[in-house]
Amino acid sequence: MQKVWFVTGSSRGLGRNFVEAALARGDKVAATARNTASLRALADTYGHAVLPLEMDVTDRAAVFENVKRAKEHFGRLDVIVNNAGYAQIGAVEELTEQELRDQLETNLFGAVWVIQAALPYLREQRSGHIIQLSSAAGLIAMPLGGAYHASKWALEGLNEALAGEVAEFGVKVTIIEPGGFATRDGNNPDPLANGHMAKPDPAYDTLRQRLGAMTGKMPAGDPAAAAQALLKLVDSANPPVRVLFGKGFQPLIEQAYADRLKTWADWQDLSIEAHGNLEAR
């Protein structure tokens, strides 16, 4: 069955590959970008199957207007892909208020606006699939990525709650957690590598140098392969709420979860002590 997609952040990277894969198999796509000039080649190739939309996800009114326009243009919406986002890099102490707010406005609030705009249509038709691009950085945290991690960890919780809220309407939610993919510079698999940089404080120079020496150790994933995997995901009758895209990060995540469980177990006596015993008073 032909699907209608609404994809944010379609100008490049994974988002662009997602759009191209959907169009190539005969689906229709409302592709959004802050500048539609980047989408002209898609329109030239696929004609009326693609609807280029100029949109900044931080503009709530524009998001609602464009989701409505896509629904009216194609008649329905089947797959909503929240892909737009970027990484703000810097130690927590280095971040300005504006840098942190901008990170959350794009990565978190932008996704919320798309979800809120699309859900009335999905609920009415009692079908649809919301795809949220998170990151391996939404499961584990690294120094100098505090703002980015904050946005992705927030998306993890928000979309897990959302999945439970909309299941009864026939709407599915999947959080995709990519590792490193060759998107901007062609080979850098570090999920924090191509972000916006805070003004560096020399106090963290040694940490930066140490982390810099560790980047690029994992093989970069192929965005085209990720796009084909996404097609299988949206065609699945029972898709997962969470799925990793790429290899290399699962062992790190498994270790991180094992460490958390061990820490909670090691400190369980204190946890019980903190609970107290009100009945004994």
Side-chain angles (χ1 to χ4, degrees), residues 164-218:
E165 294 165 357
V166 301
E168 65 182 286
F169 305 118
V171 179
K172 303 165 186 173
V173 178
T174 297
I175 307 163
I176 296 178
E177 295 140 345
F181 279 82
T183 52
R184 293 192 186 180
D185 66 8
N187 60 16
N188 198 333
D190 181 359
L192 299 181
N194 294 305
H196 296 204
M197 300 297 296
K199 182 179 179 180
D201 183 326
Y204 296 96
D205 285 349
T206 300
L207 175 61
R208 260 184 288 275
Q209 293 168 5
R210 187 165 67 249
L211 292 176
M214 296 169 57
T215 61
K217 302 298 184 183
M218 295 183 183

Short mmCIF file of all heavy atoms in Angstrom, two decimals, residues 164-218:
data_model
loop_
_atom_site.label_atom_id
_atom_site.label_comp_id
_atom_site.label_asym_id
_atom_site.label_seq_id
_atom_site.Cartn_x
_atom_site.Cartn_y
_atom_site.Cartn_z
N GLY A 164 2.24 4.90 24.57
CA GLY A 164 1.16 4.36 25.40
C GLY A 164 -0.13 5.14 25.26
O GLY A 164 -1.22 4.59 25.43
N GLU A 165 -0.03 6.42 24.92
CA GLU A 165 -1.22 7.27 24.80
C GLU A 165 -2.00 7.03 23.51
O GLU A 165 -3.23 7.16 23.49
CB GLU A 165 -0.81 8.74 24.87
CG GLU A 165 -0.24 9.16 26.23
CD GLU A 165 0.50 10.49 26.18
OE1 GLU A 165 0.64 11.08 25.08
OE2 GLU A 165 0.96 10.92 27.25
N VAL A 166 -1.29 6.70 22.43
CA VAL A 166 -1.95 6.67 21.12
C VAL A 166 -2.19 5.26 20.59
O VAL A 166 -2.80 5.09 19.54
CB VAL A 166 -1.15 7.48 20.08
CG1 VAL A 166 -1.02 8.93 20.53
CG2 VAL A 166 0.23 6.86 19.84
N ALA A 167 -1.74 4.24 21.32
CA ALA A 167 -1.90 2.87 20.83
C ALA A 167 -3.36 2.52 20.58
O ALA A 167 -3.70 1.84 19.60
CB ALA A 167 -1.28 1.89 21.82
N GLU A 168 -4.25 2.99 21.45
CA GLU A 168 -5.67 2.65 21.31
C GLU A 168 -6.29 3.28 20.07
O GLU A 168 -7.38 2.88 19.64
CB GLU A 168 -6.46 3.09 22.55
CG GLU A 168 -6.49 4.57 22.77
CD GLU A 168 -7.26 4.93 24.04
OE1 GLU A 168 -8.51 4.83 24.02
OE2 GLU A 168 -6.61 5.28 25.04
N PHE A 169 -5.61 4.24 19.45
CA PHE A 169 -6.11 4.87 18.23
C PHE A 169 -5.51 4.24 16.98
O PHE A 169 -5.74 4.72 15.86
CB PHE A 169 -5.78 6.37 18.23
CG PHE A 169 -6.29 7.10 19.44
CD1 PHE A 169 -5.40 7.73 20.30
CD2 PHE A 169 -7.64 7.15 19.73
CE1 PHE A 169 -5.86 8.40 21.42
CE2 PHE A 169 -8.11 7.82 20.85
CZ PHE A 169 -7.21 8.44 21.71
N GLY A 170 -4.74 3.17 17.15
CA GLY A 170 -4.12 2.52 16.01
C GLY A 170 -2.86 3.20 15.52
O GLY A 170 -2.37 2.91 14.42
N VAL A 171 -2.34 4.13 16.31
CA VAL A 171 -1.13 4.87 15.93
C VAL A 171 0.08 4.25 16.60
O VAL A 171 0.06 4.00 17.82
CB VAL A 171 -1.26 6.36 16.32
CG1 VAL A 171 0.00 7.12 15.95
CG2 VAL A 171 -2.48 6.98 15.63
N LYS A 172 1.12 4.02 15.84
CA LYS A 172 2.35 3.42 16.35
C LYS A 172 3.43 4.49 16.52
O LYS A 172 3.43 5.49 15.82
CB LYS A 172 2.84 2.34 15.39
CG LYS A 172 1.81 1.25 15.13
CD LYS A 172 2.18 0.41 13.93
CE LYS A 172 1.08 -0.58 13.59
NZ LYS A 172 1.34 -1.31 12.32
N VAL A 173 4.33 4.25 17.45
CA VAL A 173 5.45 5.16 17.70
C VAL A 173 6.73 4.33 17.77
O VAL A 173 6.78 3.32 18.48
CB VAL A 173 5.27 5.94 19.02
CG1 VAL A 173 6.48 6.84 19.27
CG2 VAL A 173 3.99 6.76 18.99
N THR A 174 7.74 4.76 17.04
CA THR A 174 9.05 4.12 17.11
C THR A 174 10.13 5.17 17.28
O THR A 174 10.18 6.15 16.53
CB THR A 174 9.34 3.30 15.84
OG1 THR A 174 8.39 2.24 15.72
CG2 THR A 174 10.74 2.69 15.90
N ILE A 175 10.98 4.94 18.26
CA ILE A 175 12.15 5.80 18.50
C ILE A 175 13.35 5.12 17.86
O ILE A 175 13.73 4.02 18.24
CB ILE A 175 12.40 5.99 20.00
CG1 ILE A 175 11.14 6.47 20.73
CG2 ILE A 175 13.55 6.95 20.24
CD1 ILE A 175 11.19 6.29 22.24
N ILE A 176 13.94 5.78 16.87
CA ILE A 176 15.14 5.26 16.23
C ILE A 176 16.37 5.89 16.88
O ILE A 176 16.45 7.11 17.02
CB ILE A 176 15.15 5.54 14.72
CG1 ILE A 176 13.98 4.81 14.04
CG2 ILE A 176 16.48 5.14 14.09
CD1 ILE A 176 13.88 5.07 12.56
N GLU A 177 17.32 5.04 17.26
CA GLU A 177 18.53 5.51 17.92
C GLU A 177 19.74 5.19 17.05
O GLU A 177 20.36 4.14 17.19
CB GLU A 177 18.64 4.84 19.29
CG GLU A 177 17.52 5.25 20.22
CD GLU A 177 16.96 4.11 21.07
OE1 GLU A 177 17.23 2.93 20.76
OE2 GLU A 177 16.24 4.41 22.05
N PRO A 178 20.07 6.10 16.12
CA PRO A 178 21.22 5.84 15.25
C PRO A 178 22.53 5.99 16.01
O PRO A 178 22.65 6.78 16.95
CB PRO A 178 21.11 6.93 14.17
CG PRO A 178 19.75 7.53 14.33
CD PRO A 178 19.39 7.34 15.77
N GLY A 179 23.50 5.22 15.57
CA GLY A 179 24.88 5.46 16.00
C GLY A 179 25.47 6.50 15.07
O GLY A 179 24.80 7.46 14.70
N GLY A 180 26.70 6.32 14.64
CA GLY A 180 27.33 7.29 13.74
C GLY A 180 27.10 6.93 12.29
O GLY A 180 27.32 5.79 11.88
N PHE A 181 26.65 7.90 11.49
CA PHE A 181 26.46 7.69 10.06
C PHE A 181 27.23 8.73 9.27
O PHE A 181 27.40 9.87 9.71
CB PHE A 181 24.97 7.75 9.71
CG PHE A 181 24.25 6.46 10.00
CD1 PHE A 181 23.81 6.18 11.29
CD2 PHE A 181 24.04 5.53 9.00
CE1 PHE A 181 23.16 4.98 11.57
CE2 PHE A 181 23.41 4.33 9.27
CZ PHE A 181 22.96 4.04 10.55
N ALA A 182 27.68 8.34 8.10
CA ALA A 182 28.45 9.23 7.23
C ALA A 182 27.48 10.18 6.55
O ALA A 182 26.96 9.90 5.48
CB ALA A 182 29.23 8.43 6.20
N THR A 183 27.22 11.32 7.20
CA THR A 183 26.22 12.24 6.66
C THR A 183 26.82 13.55 6.17
O THR A 183 26.67 13.92 5.03
CB THR A 183 25.15 12.55 7.72
OG1 THR A 183 25.79 12.98 8.93
CG2 THR A 183 24.34 11.30 8.02
N ARG A 184 27.55 14.27 7.02
CA ARG A 184 28.05 15.58 6.59
C ARG A 184 29.46 15.52 6.01
O ARG A 184 29.70 15.91 4.89
CB ARG A 184 28.03 16.56 7.77
CG ARG A 184 26.63 16.90 8.21
CD ARG A 184 26.65 18.08 9.16
NE ARG A 184 25.33 18.32 9.71
CZ ARG A 184 25.05 19.29 10.56
NH1 ARG A 184 25.99 20.11 10.96
NH2 ARG A 184 23.84 19.46 11.03
N ASP A 185 30.42 15.03 6.81
CA ASP A 185 31.79 15.06 6.31
C ASP A 185 32.17 13.77 5.60
O ASP A 185 33.29 13.59 5.17
CB ASP A 185 32.78 15.34 7.44
CG ASP A 185 32.83 14.22 8.48
OD1 ASP A 185 32.21 13.18 8.25
OD2 ASP A 185 33.50 14.41 9.50
N GLY A 186 31.18 12.86 5.48
CA GLY A 186 31.41 11.67 4.70
C GLY A 186 31.97 10.48 5.44
O GLY A 186 31.92 9.37 4.96
N ASN A 187 32.55 10.68 6.62
CA ASN A 187 33.12 9.51 7.28
C ASN A 187 33.13 9.56 8.79
O ASN A 187 33.60 8.63 9.43
CB ASN A 187 34.57 9.29 6.79
CG ASN A 187 35.47 10.49 7.09
OD1 ASN A 187 35.11 11.33 7.90
ND2 ASN A 187 36.61 10.55 6.43
N ASN A 188 32.65 10.59 9.39
CA ASN A 188 32.76 10.71 10.84
C ASN A 188 31.58 10.05 11.53
O ASN A 188 30.45 10.51 11.40
CB ASN A 188 32.86 12.18 11.27
CG ASN A 188 33.41 12.30 12.68
OD1 ASN A 188 33.27 11.41 13.49
ND2 ASN A 188 34.05 13.42 12.95
N PRO A 189 31.80 8.95 12.27
CA PRO A 189 30.69 8.25 12.91
C PRO A 189 30.32 8.77 14.28
O PRO A 189 29.44 8.22 14.93
CB PRO A 189 31.25 6.82 13.03
CG PRO A 189 32.71 7.02 13.29
CD PRO A 189 33.08 8.25 12.47
N ASP A 190 31.00 9.81 14.77
CA ASP A 190 30.72 10.33 16.10
C ASP A 190 29.40 11.09 16.08
O ASP A 190 29.27 12.07 15.33
CB ASP A 190 31.86 11.25 16.53
CG ASP A 190 31.66 11.83 17.92
OD1 ASP A 190 30.63 11.53 18.55
OD2 ASP A 190 32.54 12.57 18.38
N PRO A 191 28.39 10.69 16.87
CA PRO A 191 27.10 11.38 16.85
C PRO A 191 27.18 12.82 17.32
O PRO A 191 26.26 13.60 17.09
CB PRO A 191 26.23 10.54 17.79
CG PRO A 191 27.19 9.85 18.69
CD PRO A 191 28.40 9.59 17.86
N LEU A 192 28.27 13.21 17.98
CA LEU A 192 28.40 14.60 18.44
C LEU A 192 29.40 15.39 17.60
O LEU A 192 29.73 16.53 17.93
CB LEU A 192 28.88 14.61 19.90
CG LEU A 192 27.96 13.95 20.93
CD1 LEU A 192 28.57 14.08 22.32
CD2 LEU A 192 26.58 14.54 20.90
N ALA A 193 29.87 14.82 16.49
CA ALA A 193 31.02 15.39 15.80
C ALA A 193 30.72 16.65 15.01
O ALA A 193 31.59 17.50 14.86
CB ALA A 193 31.64 14.35 14.88
N ASN A 194 29.52 16.78 14.47
CA ASN A 194 29.25 17.86 13.52
C ASN A 194 28.29 18.90 14.08
O ASN A 194 27.45 19.41 13.37
CB ASN A 194 28.69 17.26 12.23
CG ASN A 194 29.72 16.39 11.52
OD1 ASN A 194 30.81 16.84 11.23
ND2 ASN A 194 29.37 15.14 11.27
N GLY A 195 28.43 19.21 15.33
CA GLY A 195 27.48 20.11 15.95
C GLY A 195 27.96 21.54 16.06
O GLY A 195 28.99 21.93 15.54
N HIS A 196 27.17 22.34 16.77
CA HIS A 196 27.51 23.72 17.07
C HIS A 196 28.42 23.73 18.30
O HIS A 196 28.15 23.04 19.27
CB HIS A 196 26.24 24.52 17.35
CG HIS A 196 25.32 24.61 16.17
ND1 HIS A 196 24.42 25.64 16.03
CD2 HIS A 196 25.15 23.83 15.08
CE1 HIS A 196 23.73 25.49 14.91
NE2 HIS A 196 24.16 24.39 14.32
N MET A 197 29.43 24.55 18.28
CA MET A 197 30.42 24.54 19.36
C MET A 197 30.22 25.73 20.30
O MET A 197 30.12 26.88 19.85
CB MET A 197 31.84 24.59 18.78
CG MET A 197 32.18 23.43 17.86
SD MET A 197 32.17 21.84 18.69
CE MET A 197 33.51 22.08 19.85
N ALA A 198 30.18 25.46 21.58
CA ALA A 198 30.16 26.53 22.57
C ALA A 198 31.55 27.16 22.65
O ALA A 198 32.55 26.55 22.26
CB ALA A 198 29.76 25.98 23.94
N LYS A 199 31.62 28.36 23.18
CA LYS A 199 32.91 29.02 23.35
C LYS A 199 33.73 28.22 24.36
O LYS A 199 33.30 28.01 25.50
CB LYS A 199 32.72 30.45 23.87
CG LYS A 199 34.02 31.21 24.03
CD LYS A 199 33.75 32.64 24.51
CE LYS A 199 35.08 33.39 24.71
NZ LYS A 199 34.83 34.78 25.18
N PRO A 200 34.90 27.74 23.97
CA PRO A 200 35.65 26.84 24.84
C PRO A 200 36.26 27.54 26.05
O PRO A 200 36.78 28.66 25.95
CB PRO A 200 36.74 26.27 23.93
CG PRO A 200 36.92 27.31 22.87
CD PRO A 200 35.57 27.92 22.66
N ASP A 201 36.18 26.88 27.17
CA ASP A 201 36.87 27.30 28.39
C ASP A 201 38.16 26.47 28.47
O ASP A 201 38.10 25.24 28.41
CB ASP A 201 35.98 27.02 29.60
CG ASP A 201 36.58 27.50 30.90
OD1 ASP A 201 37.81 27.46 31.05
OD2 ASP A 201 35.80 27.89 31.80
N PRO A 202 39.32 27.13 28.61
CA PRO A 202 40.59 26.39 28.65
C PRO A 202 40.63 25.30 29.72
O PRO A 202 41.41 24.35 29.60
CB PRO A 202 41.62 27.48 28.93
CG PRO A 202 41.00 28.74 28.42
CD PRO A 202 39.54 28.59 28.67
N ALA A 203 39.80 25.42 30.74
CA ALA A 203 39.78 24.41 31.79
C ALA A 203 39.43 23.03 31.25
O ALA A 203 39.79 22.01 31.85
CB ALA A 203 38.79 24.81 32.89
N TYR A 204 38.73 22.98 30.11
CA TYR A 204 38.30 21.71 29.54
C TYR A 204 39.10 21.30 28.31
O TYR A 204 38.73 20.36 27.61
CB TYR A 204 36.81 21.77 29.19
CG TYR A 204 35.94 21.97 30.41
CD1 TYR A 204 35.50 23.25 30.78
CD2 TYR A 204 35.58 20.90 31.22
CE1 TYR A 204 34.72 23.45 31.91
CE2 TYR A 204 34.79 21.09 32.35
CZ TYR A 204 34.37 22.37 32.70
OH TYR A 204 33.61 22.55 33.82
N ASP A 205 40.22 22.00 28.05
CA ASP A 205 41.02 21.67 26.87
C ASP A 205 41.58 20.26 26.91
O ASP A 205 41.60 19.54 25.90
CB ASP A 205 42.18 22.67 26.72
CG ASP A 205 41.70 24.03 26.20
OD1 ASP A 205 40.52 24.12 25.77
OD2 ASP A 205 42.50 25.00 26.24
N THR A 206 42.04 19.83 28.07
CA THR A 206 42.60 18.47 28.19
C THR A 206 41.53 17.43 27.90
O THR A 206 41.78 16.43 27.21
CB THR A 206 43.20 18.25 29.59
OG1 THR A 206 44.23 19.20 29.81
CG2 THR A 206 43.77 16.85 29.71
N LEU A 207 40.34 17.65 28.42
CA LEU A 207 39.23 16.74 28.16
C LEU A 207 38.90 16.70 26.68
O LEU A 207 38.69 15.63 26.10
CB LEU A 207 38.00 17.17 28.97
CG LEU A 207 36.71 16.38 28.72
CD1 LEU A 207 36.90 14.91 29.07
CD2 LEU A 207 35.55 16.98 29.50
N ARG A 208 38.89 17.87 26.05
CA ARG A 208 38.58 17.94 24.61
C ARG A 208 39.61 17.15 23.80
O ARG A 208 39.26 16.42 22.88
CB ARG A 208 38.53 19.40 24.15
CG ARG A 208 37.15 19.97 24.03
CD ARG A 208 37.18 21.39 23.48
NE ARG A 208 37.70 22.32 24.46
CZ ARG A 208 36.94 22.89 25.39
NH1 ARG A 208 35.66 22.62 25.46
NH2 ARG A 208 37.48 23.74 26.27
N GLN A 209 40.86 17.31 24.16
CA GLN A 209 41.93 16.61 23.44
C GLN A 209 41.80 15.10 23.63
O GLN A 209 41.97 14.32 22.68
CB GLN A 209 43.30 17.09 23.94
CG GLN A 209 43.60 18.54 23.58
CD GLN A 209 44.82 19.08 24.31
OE1 GLN A 209 45.51 18.35 25.02
NE2 GLN A 209 45.08 20.37 24.15
N ARG A 210 41.48 14.68 24.84
CA ARG A 210 41.34 13.25 25.13
C ARG A 210 40.17 12.65 24.36
O ARG A 210 40.28 11.57 23.77
CB ARG A 210 41.17 13.04 26.63
CG ARG A 210 41.19 11.57 27.04
CD ARG A 210 41.38 11.42 28.53
NE ARG A 210 40.25 11.90 29.31
CZ ARG A 210 40.28 12.98 30.08
NH1 ARG A 210 41.39 13.70 30.19
NH2 ARG A 210 39.21 13.34 30.78
N LEU A 211 39.04 13.36 24.34
CA LEU A 211 37.88 12.86 23.61
C LEU A 211 38.10 12.91 22.11
O LEU A 211 37.66 12.03 21.37
CB LEU A 211 36.64 13.66 23.99
CG LEU A 211 36.14 13.49 25.43
CD1 LEU A 211 34.96 14.41 25.69
CD2 LEU A 211 35.74 12.04 25.70
N GLY A 212 38.81 13.95 21.66
CA GLY A 212 39.09 14.06 20.23
C GLY A 212 39.90 12.90 19.71
O GLY A 212 39.71 12.44 18.58
N ALA A 213 40.80 12.39 20.54
CA ALA A 213 41.63 11.26 20.13
C ALA A 213 40.82 9.97 20.04
O ALA A 213 41.24 9.00 19.40
CB ALA A 213 42.78 11.07 21.12
N MET A 214 39.63 9.95 20.66
CA MET A 214 38.80 8.75 20.67
C MET A 214 37.79 8.72 19.52
O MET A 214 37.24 7.67 19.22
CB MET A 214 38.04 8.65 22.00
CG MET A 214 38.94 8.50 23.22
SD MET A 214 38.02 8.70 24.76
CE MET A 214 36.75 7.45 24.60
N THR A 215 37.55 9.86 18.88
CA THR A 215 36.52 9.91 17.84
C THR A 215 36.99 9.19 16.59
O THR A 215 38.18 9.06 16.32
CB THR A 215 36.16 11.37 17.48
OG1 THR A 215 37.34 12.04 16.99
CG2 THR A 215 35.63 12.10 18.70
N GLY A 216 36.02 8.75 15.82
CA GLY A 216 36.33 8.09 14.57
C GLY A 216 36.77 6.65 14.71
O GLY A 216 37.27 6.05 13.75
N LYS A 217 36.62 6.06 15.90
CA LYS A 217 37.06 4.69 16.12
C LYS A 217 36.04 3.66 15.63
O LYS A 217 36.39 2.50 15.43
CB LYS A 217 37.33 4.45 17.62
CG LYS A 217 38.38 5.39 18.22
CD LYS A 217 39.73 5.23 17.57
CE LYS A 217 40.77 6.12 18.27
NZ LYS A 217 42.09 6.02 17.61
N MET A 218 34.79 4.07 15.47
CA MET A 218 33.76 3.15 15.02
C MET A 218 33.47 3.37 13.53
O MET A 218 33.54 4.50 13.05
CB MET A 218 32.48 3.34 15.82
CG MET A 218 32.63 3.00 17.29
SD MET A 218 31.07 3.16 18.17
CE MET A 218 31.61 2.78 19.85
#
